[in-house]
Amino acid sequence: MKKIAVLLSGCGVYDGTELHESVLALLEIARAGASYQCFAPDITQLHVVNHLTGQVEEAETRNVLVESARIARGEIKAVDELNIAEFDALVIPGGFGAAKNLCDFAVSGAEHDVEPSVKRFISQFANSHKPVGFICISPVMIPKLYPLGVSGTIGSDQGTAVAFEQQGGKHQSALVNEIIVDEQHKVVSTPAYMLATDIVEAHSGISKLVEKVLQMA
């Protein structure tokens, strides 16, 4: 049985992992007969957003690992606990947490850095030539983790696409139900809620991404 790592970034679209994307990815992995283990960095998230009002709660702080445990039903490990030999591939759902907690793209744009423990985590898959699937906004990290010219997509948002290329990546526009595959680097990406208007549209690309990642594993 193939074993897939899933990297989470908190719990909630505005300050953590996009719930629909993460659950759909976990469901597709399980439906394909593979198993998964969720991981998250043990760090304080950038900020806390009230998902009812959209306002930042200035006085509140939360931990990315603790919040991610909500999605994983408590079955989660810190990224530093990874034993790369146990895993065949990695899937990274989106949500603003990917751009606020896994890296600081939401603040720094093309000049962003991937959080150090997250960079070590993902790089173990890249360096072992194990496939990684990036969903929604998480593909902004691809050029920071792979050699110049690596291909990926965040859909069709012009500003984000330009930032992707400024970092040394090759951006390819994609529709919500499409995936972009870089066979050389074993990187798969799909727009999901960068373009999706509902959960069905988000699922259309995520299901293809998981299928391709498992096929490459």
Side-chain angles (χ1 to χ4, degrees):
M1 179 190 287
K2 290 175 180 175
K3 189 171 184 182
I4 313 302
V6 178
L7 178 60
L8 303 178
S9 59
C11 183
V13 59
Y14 300 125
D15 59 12
T17 309
E18 212 296 315
L19 270 294
H20 296 175
E21 291 175 358
S22 55
V23 173
L24 290 170
L26 296 175
L27 176 62
E28 287 302 315
I29 291 167
R31 284 177 64 178
S35 67
Y36 59 78
Q37 171 66 56
C38 293
F39 288 88
D42 187 2
I43 57 174
T44 302
Q45 61 186 52
L46 175 67
H47 56 205
V48 177
V49 176
N50 180 324
H51 280 61
L52 186 61
T53 64
Q55 300 300 306
V56 173
E57 300 284 356
E58 300 288 355
E60 194 173 347
T61 60
R62 295 190 185 183
N63 177 280
V64 175
L65 179 60
V66 173
E67 290 300 296
S68 299
R70 293 172 180 268
I71 298 172
R73 295 172 59 88
E75 292 293 318
I76 195 164
K77 294 182 178 181
V79 289
D80 292 335
E81 296 181 69
L82 173 70
N83 176 358
I84 189 64
E86 294 180 359
F87 293 91
D88 299 293
L90 168 64
V91 171
I92 309 174
F96 276 108
K100 292 177 176 179
N101 303 326
L102 301 185
C103 71
D104 62 352
F105 180 81
V107 176
S108 305
E111 303 302 314
H112 79 94
D113 291 310
V114 180
E115 196 280 328
S117 68
V118 171
K119 189 168 189 173
R120 286 193 299 272
F121 178 84
I122 302 174
S123 293
Q124 290 185 65
F125 289 89
N127 295 338
S128 302
H129 302 291
K130 295 183 177 184
V132 182
F134 293 84
I135 298 168
C136 190
I137 191 63
S138 74
V140 296
M141 296 186 286
I142 292 172
K144 296 287 187 182
L145 299 162
Y146 292 87
L148 283 173
V150 62
S151 294
T153 190
I154 46 74
S156 56
D157 181 76
Q158 196 57 41
T160 313
V162 168
F164 190 96
E165 301 233 326
Q166 284 175 342
Q167 297 172 68
K170 181 182 177 185
H171 184 266
Q172 295 180 237
S173 293
L175 301 175
V176 69
N177 63 342
E178 293 179 326
I179 59 174
I180 296 299
V181 182
D182 185 317
E183 296 279 0
Q184 180 185 350
H185 300 105
K186 293 193 173 180
V187 171
V188 187
S189 50
T190 194
Y193 275 108
M194 289 293 287
L195 291 175
T197 58
D198 58 36
I199 194 169
V200 177
E201 285 190 355
H203 180 244
S204 65
I206 291 170
S207 60
K208 290 176 184 175
L209 177 136
V210 171
E211 181 182 11
K212 184 63 178 180
V213 166
L214 287 169
Q215 180 189 324
M216 297 173 94

